[in-house]
Amino acid sequence: MQKVLLDITCFFRGCDKNDVTRVIEHAEISIPVLCEKNLITLYYNYIEMHDLIQKMGREIVRHKHPKEPGKWSRLWDHGDISLVLRKNTGTEAIEGIFLDMSRARVMEFTPEAFSKMKGLRLFKVYWSCGFTNCSGGECTKLLVPKGFEFPSYDLRYLHWEGYPLES
């Protein structure tokens, strides 16, 4: 149940409950219980929560290693994600990465950047402001190196807007 709550607080606030139950294991059972405990609410089938609940969930993720985002289970802040990818500090602890490219500049990483992320279940690259940055400028890019592969066989959700490689 805690795993589902952390996924929701870090990644799925404001999302349709049906979409979330397809992506997160055990969400179908956990969501009604989280509603009963008033940790989340459903508003026209969209998952909502109080800002303090979201903040608490994110603090739980950061708690053991506050200065080492590569050891967190979930990454949602573009600055933390950029740091982990640039310095190759990702670990098996990372289960999810949601990268909002409208808040980032051009981002590069090596094939090794994901090599230790063997527990990666959720990966999303998106633009919250459409394919422009939030100040209205051109779309930023995530530069993917040749030979890039996800190391995780646990990857359950992959959403990548503007995937840069040819098929």
Side-chain angles (χ1 to χ4, degrees):
M1 180 115 37
Q2 181 178 355
K3 195 172 190 174
V4 174
L5 179 61
L6 293 179
D7 282 343
I8 291 171
T9 59
C10 293
F11 303 134
F12 294 105
R13 181 180 186 184
C15 293
D16 184 278
K17 180 189 96 158
N18 298 329
D19 295 339
V20 174
T21 56
R22 281 191 287 272
V23 172
I24 302 176
E25 194 173 7
H26 306 299
E28 195 168 322
I29 296 165
S30 299
I31 287 174
V33 175
L34 294 171
C35 286
E36 283 177 30
K37 294 181 180 205
N38 293 317
L39 294 170
I40 64 171
T41 57
L42 293 177
Y43 185 73
Y44 293 101
N45 213 45
Y46 287 87
I47 298 173
E48 289 298 334
M49 70 188 67
H50 193 280
D51 291 343
L52 291 175
I53 300 290
Q54 183 174 37
K55 186 175 180 180
M56 176 199 67
R58 290 180 171 187
E59 285 303 315
I60 289 169
V61 169
R62 293 181 182 122
H63 179 70
K64 286 185 183 175
H65 307 282
K67 304 265 189 223
E68 300 175 87
K71 294 181 178 180
W72 299 349
S73 59
R74 292 152 183 87
L75 296 171
W76 60 89
D77 179 77
H78 69 277
D80 295 328
I81 295 167
S82 176
L83 180 71
V84 168
L85 294 181
R86 275 186 295 114
K87 295 192 174 195
N88 297 337
T89 58
T91 65
E92 277 188 31
I94 297 175
E95 297 178 29
I97 298 174
F98 275 43
L99 176 59
D100 182 356
M101 289 300 293
S102 61
R103 303 196 189 295
R105 287 179 255 157
V106 173
M107 190 178 294
E108 291 184 68
F109 61 91
T110 64
E112 297 79 32
F114 285 86
S115 64
K116 296 177 189 168
M117 298 182 204
K118 306 246 185 260
L120 191 64
R121 298 179 294 116
L122 310 167
F123 185 76
K124 181 176 181 178
V125 177
Y126 65 103
W127 281 261
S128 62
C129 299
F131 282 103
T132 62
N133 64 31
C134 287
S135 60
E138 283 187 22
C139 171
T140 54
K141 297 185 181 196
L142 179 62
L143 303 175
V144 181
K146 288 189 178 198
F148 169 74
E149 291 182 16
F150 286 106
S152 176
Y153 292 108
D154 295 329
L155 191 63
R156 183 175 175 95
Y157 177 68
L158 173 61
H159 175 110
W160 195 323
E161 293 175 4
Y163 183 73
L165 296 177
E166 296 178 12
S167 57

